[in-house]
Structure formats: C-alpha cells, structure tokens
Amino acid sequence: MGFRISIEIVDLSKLETILAGEPAYRAKQAREAVFGSLIDDWSQARELPENLRQKLAAECSLDINAEIFHSKDGASAKALITLADGAKIETVLMRHGSRPRASLAFQAGRNTVCVSSQVGCPMGCAFCATGKMGFKRNLSADEIAEQVLLFARILKKEGRRVDNVVFMGMGEPFLNYANVMAAVKILNDQRGLNIGGRHISISTCGVVEGIEKLVDEPIQVNLAISLHAPNDALRSKLMPINAKYPLKKPVETIAHYIERTNRRVMLEYIMIDKVNDSDDCARELADLVKTRLSPKLAFVNLIRYNPTGEFLASPPERVKAFKDILMKAGVETTERYRFGRQIKAACGQLAAKS
Ligand code: SAH
Ligand code: SF4
C-alpha cells in the first residue's frame, strides 16, 4: 500500500523554445542543472544568469504531480505520472538490497528504474495488462528520461543514485525507436544522470527492425527479447507479433546481433501455468538456444508471471523443474526477482489498474 506525496518534475518540452534567443550553451547548462545537479527549482541553477532563471521559473514549470506508492517492504515504489496532455504512465523503482546478481541489469545493492516508452501498447500480447489498454501515443525522449529523473531526485535525498534503467514498463520500445535512443543519450550523458550503456536494458517483443538498428548504435545497451514460447504454435497464441514475424525471424536477427556485437542477449520467458511451462517446452527452448543461438551469449531469464486476467503463474516447483532442464542442457538460466507484486508494479502490468 502507498501514501500520496507530491513530486516535482520538469516540463522540459518547452526548454529549447524558451531559450531559443540565447546562445546554444544556455540550453545545455539548463539541462545539466536538471539532469546533473538534479535541481528542483530554477533558482538553484547557479550557472544561469538571474534573468534566465526567472524566465525559466515563470515559463518552464518544474511542477507536475506524481502519485508515489511504496511497497510494504520498501523494496519497490511505483510512480503514476500525469503528462502535460493528461496521459498517464507508470514508472517503477526497484531497490535490489544485497541480493545476489540475477541478470544483466539487476545487480546487488543497486537501484533500477523500469521506464515506459509508450502510453499503452499496440502489440496486444494476451498475458499483458498494458496490451489490453490499447495504444495511445509514443512518449518523447524527455518524457522517458523524466521518469528516471523523478526517482533520481528521490534517491539523491538518501545519498543514492539510479544505477540501472530497464525499458520494461508500458509500451514496445522499438516502435518508438528514435525517441527511445534519444532518451538513452540523455540518460547516458556524463554531465547528466551518467548511466552507462551497460546499465541500460531494452526489452522488445521482437520488433526485428529495432534489433537490427541497435547493432550500429554508438551507445551499446543490453538487449532483452520477450520469447515466452519455444515454437510458433504457442507463441502465436500469446503474442500477435508472431503472425508478422514467426519465431525464426527474431531468432535469426538475434543470432546476427550476437555475431556482430559479441554481446549477451537476455531471452525473457514468463512462466504461465499449464500454458508454456511443460518439460517439453523447456527441452524445446533449450534446443532452440543451443542450435540456433550461442549458448555462451544468450541466456534465459524466467519471469514470475503476475496474473492480469485469464492466466495464472506457474507454481515454484514447476519453475524449478523447467530451470533444471535448461541448466542441465547447458543453457544459463536466471530468475527475475518478484519485485512490486504488492503494488501491482511489476514491469509489463503497469497503468491498467489506474
Ligand atoms: N514491450 C516490451 C517491453 C515491455 S514488457 C516487451 O514486450 O518486451 C516487459 C516484460 O514484461 C516483457 O518480457 C513482457 O512480456 C513482460 N510481461 C508482460 N506482462 C507481464 C505480466 N503480467 N507478468 C510478468 N511479466 C509480464
Ligand atoms: Fe506490449 Fe510488451 Fe505488453 Fe506485449 S508484453 S503488449 S509488447 S508491453
């Protein structure tokens, strides 16, 4: 359960327009004050002359309200943010305490922010609450970066920082490729939030054009792909994208990505009771990883399913048996922590409750 607090977040969309008549470095300084110094008020932007601070204070509000809900155990927090046009998105902070390393971006003692890339999602996956909402619009780069900023400000008060960002909230990042990569650049900026590419992970349901483009990006981020089924018959039932790109297509694209980048890829697999969690599915998945991908560079991350409607989560002993089959076959397999279940905040099931 949570309590409501009011949080200030900058409406950066106006920044460049307001500073249009000024030398270009002023907008840069303003952004550095916001993302680097994490100011809450323009009066704190010491690098800017007084007249600009006043102008910004008058015209570029730092105020919008976000509702923050904290889980009972304090391990996670969810922010419901209302954007300038009234659209609502959710962002989740996951505090990883001292637990052992589980997967690419989920490391011990670290703070990870799970961001949304779209309002809703057009992909319509059967198990996903966001998919059920339908699609409203893409988020701008600033709207994505501001989700991280919100929690960076909160953590700063504790002397802590945002260590990792995962694009696993609402939306399909690769349907909003340009804005997502522009947001990555903002997050990565050394004079801003300074989050390294290796601490940023993008999850896609398998939009192959996005995976292909990622190969040539200057900032190398981690790639995760939502597989969720080891064959077309099953995947088509769960994920409509499989009609456009049957499993073979994303698998080939990932193989190419691995070959070109020599980087690890996380294969996400939600464990849905009696749907995709059989021993046969595990064997088929192991076979796919071993024969068509590199078992050195592709690993499986089993995700505990958060029921949002017709499906149930696989029981823990089923998850264990599934994992054992993969591990025995030589496929590295991890399990994502069960963050945020109390606050309906787990990635992939955001905002539907609002
Ligand atoms: N659209 C992207 C990224 C957002 S979803 C994608 O699909 O990969 C992030 C992850 O959460 C995906 O692996 C998605 O399949 C998973 N997910 C969706 N609904 C979920 C639920 N109810 N419980 C657990 N994971 C879920
Ligand atoms: Fe969209 Fe990802 Fe949900 Fe599928 S799982 S509907 S791609 S957010």
Side-chain angles (χ1 to χ4, degrees):
M1 283 298 108
F3 54 89
R4 195 187 161 120
I5 57 165
S6 194
I7 276 295
E8 303 200 321
I9 186 169
V10 66
D11 179 9
L12 281 178
S13 58
K14 297 186 201 143
L15 198 67
E16 273 76 13
T17 324
I18 296 167
L19 297 178
E22 303 293 330
Y25 66 86
R26 290 297 185 205
K28 209 166 158 255
Q29 284 175 326
R31 280 182 170 270
E32 276 168 23
V34 172
F35 286 106
S37 312
L38 302 174
I39 59 161
D40 318 284
D41 195 297
W42 286 114
S43 65
Q44 298 161 0
R46 299 263 164 254
E47 310 76 9
L48 298 176
E50 179 61 25
N51 66 324
L52 281 190
R53 277 188 253 160
Q54 282 178 6
K55 196 174 176 200
L56 286 164
E59 295 175 38
C60 183
S61 170
L62 289 173
D63 298 354
I64 69 159
N65 283 332
E67 270 185 88
I68 314 263
F69 304 88
H70 295 271
S71 65
K72 264 192 215 130
D73 60 5
S76 59
K78 174 174 77 167
L80 176 62
I81 298 173
T82 306
L83 301 170
D85 66 351
K88 289 185 194 311
I89 50 162
E90 295 195 11
T91 307
V92 177
L93 169 69
M94 297 167 284
R95 298 164 182 264
H96 301 274
S98 55
R99 298 179 208 211
R101 177 180 181 275
S103 60
L104 282 181
F106 295 82
Q107 293 159 356
R110 303 258 171 189
N111 298 303
T112 296
V113 174
C114 174
V115 296
S116 297
S117 56
Q118 300 182 310
V119 184
C121 180
M123 304 311 285
C125 300
F127 48 78
C128 175
T130 308
K132 297 232 165 70
M133 291 171 61
F135 173 66
K136 297 215 177 70
R137 68 172 174 88
N138 279 333
L139 294 180
S140 70
D142 282 335
E143 286 170 333
I144 296 169
E146 284 165 14
Q147 298 169 51
V148 182
L149 182 63
L150 179 79
F151 283 119
R153 286 181 181 177
I154 293 173
L155 288 167
K156 189 189 172 191
K157 298 196 176 92
E158 304 168 13
R160 306 191 73 183
R161 70 187 296 269
V162 175
D163 300 289
N164 305 303
V165 172
V166 295
F167 284 79
M168 294 184 185
M170 294 163 70
E172 168 47 52
F174 286 165
L175 292 182
N176 186 18
Y177 190 92
N179 292 348
V180 163
M181 291 321 292
V184 165
K185 211 171 149 203
I186 296 172
L187 301 176
N188 187 243
D189 187 349
Q190 288 188 351
R191 305 183 69 161
L193 290 162
N194 193 20
I195 300 169
R198 279 165 200 280
H199 294 275
I200 299 174
S201 300
I202 299 182
S203 172
T204 177
C205 64
V207 176
V208 296
E209 297 86 347
I211 302 172
E212 276 159 8
K213 277 195 248 174
L214 200 62
V215 170
D216 297 314
E217 287 295 338
I219 303 172
Q220 296 212 327
V221 298
N222 302 311
L223 174 66
I225 169 153
S226 297
L227 219 54
H228 305 331
N231 59 58
D232 281 323
L234 188 52
R235 198 163 189 267
S236 295
K237 280 191 200 150
L238 298 173
M239 304 174 74
I241 192 178
N242 208 63
K244 187 173 180 201
Y245 298 129
L247 204 46
K248 187 167 178 274
K249 188 75 187 146
V251 169
E252 274 171 5
T253 312
I254 297 165
H256 179 244
Y257 171 93
I258 289 175
E259 197 186 309
R260 286 281 309 278
T261 61
N262 207 31
R263 292 176 61 78
R264 306 180 80 216
V265 173
M266 185 206 282
L267 310 174
E268 293 162 282
Y269 198 99
I270 45 178
M271 295 292 289
I272 310 179
D273 188 34
K274 298 185 184 66
V275 173
N276 65 351
D277 63 352
S278 67
D279 286 355
D280 279 348
C281 282
R283 283 189 282 266
E284 211 176 340
L285 179 61
D287 198 49
L288 184 151
V289 178
K290 283 169 68 184
T291 59
R292 288 151 73 187
L293 292 166
S294 151
K296 271 204 203 97
L297 291 171
F299 69 99
V300 174
N301 190 32
L302 298 177
I303 303 172
R304 161 121 201 153
Y305 181 60
N306 289 288
T308 60
E310 59 187 299
F311 302 114
L312 295 172
S314 306
E317 57 279 12
R318 184 82 300 266
V319 179
K320 189 181 177 301
F322 196 93
K323 184 176 176 179
D324 284 349
I325 292 173
L326 285 160
M327 298 283 276
K328 280 201 187 104
V331 175
E332 187 190 331
T333 308
T334 58
E335 276 177 73
R336 189 194 287 175
Y337 301 132
R338 292 168 53 186
F339 279 104
R341 278 170 66 78
Q342 299 163 16
I343 56 168
K344 296 270 179 276
C347 301
Q349 60 158 18
L350 304 181
K353 297 284 182 291
S354 58

